[in-house]
Amino acid sequence: MSGLTLALSKGRIFEETLPLLRAAGIEVLEDPETSRKLILPTNREGVRVVLVRASDVPTYVQYGGADLGVAGRDVLHEQALAQGGSHGLYQPLDLKIARCRMSVATRADFDYAAAVKQGSRIRVATKYTEIARQHFADKGVHVDLIKLYGSMELAPLTGLADAIVDLVSTGGTLRANKLVEVEQIMDISSRLVVNQAALKLKRDTLRPLIDAFASAIA
C-alpha cells in the first residue's frame, strides 16, 4: 500500500480512528498531542496522516490535499448545504465513531413550544447556520441566526439568543449551565470520505483499506 494521505482532526475522531487503522495494519508512529508535526508517519511506507481542523477535512479531501479522511456528519451536512447540496465526496462508510447528536437547547424557563409555532420568529446561535436554517424553515419558523464558534451555552444565558443548535454528547455541559435539550435534529457519527479522483487512480491501494475499515466496524 503506497502513496496515501489520510486527513484526520485531533481529539475524539483521531483516537477513535486508531483502532480502525490498526485493523488495516496501519500504526501512526507519533502522538499528535505531543508532536508538533502536522504530517505524521505510519508504519506503512507511503501512508501518512495529515492533521487538520475538523471543518477542513472535507476540503482537503475534495481538492486532493488528502486522498481520504474521517469527518463528522455535522461537518459534511453543513458544508453540503452551503455548496447547494453536494460536495462531490465519495462516502463509502459510516464508521460509527465519535457519536453524538445535534440538538436545539434553551434556558429551562424558555417556552420553546410557543416560540416555534408556525410563522413565529426565533433567534438562534450556532456554528451550524445552514443546518439550523433548514431545520427551522422546515418547521415554518422565521429564524435570526447568530454565528458563534464556541461557548454556545453562553448565548441563551446572556440574552444573545433564545436558543442554540449544537452537538450534544451526554448533556452534562447543558445541565451544568441550566439549559435543556428541547429538540433533536439528527444523530451524528463520523464517516469515511474519499476523493473521487483518488478512488479511480489509487483504487488498488484504497480498496483494501476501505474493506479493512468495513470489516472492523461490522
Side-chain angles (χ1 to χ4, degrees):
M1 191 180 293
S2 64
L4 285 184
T5 299
L6 170 67
L8 294 177
S9 55
K10 281 187 184 182
R12 188 177 173 190
I13 286 179
F14 183 92
E15 294 301 326
E16 295 186 21
T17 302
L18 288 180
L20 301 178
L21 287 171
R22 287 189 199 108
I26 297 171
E27 295 274 354
V28 181
L29 297 179
E30 294 187 33
D31 181 350
E33 299 304 325
T34 56
S35 174
R36 290 180 176 273
K37 292 180 183 174
L38 296 176
I39 300 177
L40 303 181
T42 72
N43 63 327
R44 291 287 190 93
E45 187 178 354
V47 179
R48 61 183 188 167
V49 170
V50 294
L51 298 174
V52 301
R53 286 174 63 107
S55 56
D56 289 338
V57 169
T59 305
Y60 269 80
V61 176
Q62 181 180 354
Y63 293 104
D67 299 303
L68 69 169
V70 178
R73 185 186 175 199
D74 54 323
V75 170
L76 291 168
H77 193 50
E78 177 74 9
Q79 293 189 7
L81 288 173
Q83 295 180 30
S86 174
H87 37 44
L89 292 171
Y90 177 53
Q91 299 182 40
L93 292 173
D94 177 355
L95 298 176
K96 298 180 170 60
I97 61 171
R99 289 182 173 188
C100 55
R101 58 195 180 272
M102 187 175 294
S103 295
V104 183
T106 68
R107 290 193 323 273
D109 61 357
F110 182 75
D111 190 347
Y112 181 71
V116 293
K117 285 184 176 161
Q118 193 158 10
S120 63
R121 182 173 289 275
I122 187 171
R123 188 155 53 164
V124 175
T126 184
K127 182 167 71 173
Y128 303 99
T129 53
E130 298 296 333
I131 293 173
R133 182 179 287 111
Q134 182 183 59
H135 174 71
F136 288 103
D138 289 347
K139 296 166 75 72
V141 176
H142 302 290
V143 61
D144 295 321
L145 291 167
I146 300 170
K147 179 139 188 170
L148 294 179
Y149 294 91
S151 302
M152 297 297 159
E153 297 80 13
L154 274 174
L157 301 177
T158 58
L160 181 67
D162 302 312
I164 60 173
V165 168
D166 202 11
L167 299 183
V168 179
S169 185
T170 64
T173 305
L174 293 178
R175 288 190 294 274
N177 288 284
K178 297 184 170 54
L179 301 181
V180 292
E181 193 175 353
V182 291
E183 187 175 18
Q184 185 173 331
I185 296 176
M186 67 175 73
D187 288 315
I188 303 294
S189 57
S190 290
R191 280 103 201 283
L192 184 67
V193 293
V194 183
N195 175 273
Q196 297 275 20
L199 192 63
K200 296 186 182 77
L201 299 172
K202 301 183 180 182
R203 186 173 188 85
D204 291 344
T205 52
L206 272 171
R207 182 47 64 184
L209 183 57
I210 295 170
D211 290 345
F213 277 18
S215 297
I217 61 177

